[in-house]
Amino acid sequence: AAFIILVLGKTGMRYTFRDWCDQRCTKFFDLVVKMLDCDLCISFWVALILCTLIAIATLDASFLLVPMFSTPLTRMLI
């Protein structure tokens, strides 16, 4: 998750998407814009997406607990 967030930040995709949402999205998506600025929030959501994909691939739902424990570690790595 930290690698993905760092790549998104270095390539500018994270900030480009934030600016795009800021200009074109409704008030409902203001939370998304704020989330893209928060390292803790984006760490959780990236980890949740990755773990959901892994849980589906392995048919093991215990992977869905990983984002709760990995989020603080990912934030420190960023």
Side-chain angles (χ1 to χ4, degrees), residues 1-39:
F3 176 76
I4 291 171
I5 294 168
L6 286 173
V7 168
L8 290 175
K10 291 288 183 186
T11 60
M13 291 173 46
R14 177 179 174 185
Y15 306 111
T16 303
F17 183 65
R18 181 197 60 202
D19 294 340
W20 182 84
C21 283
D22 209 14
Q23 293 172 355
R24 292 180 179 82
C25 295
T26 62
K27 295 287 184 189
F28 176 74
F29 289 103
D30 282 344
L31 185 61
V32 174
V33 173
K34 290 178 185 175
M35 181 196 70
L36 290 171
D37 285 333
C38 175
D39 287 337

Side-chain angles (χ1 to χ4, degrees), residues 42-60:
I42 199 165
S43 298
F44 174 77
W45 289 109
V46 169
L48 184 67
I49 291 168
L50 290 173
C51 289
T52 301
L53 294 173
I54 293 170
I56 291 170
T58 61
L59 299 176
D60 186 6

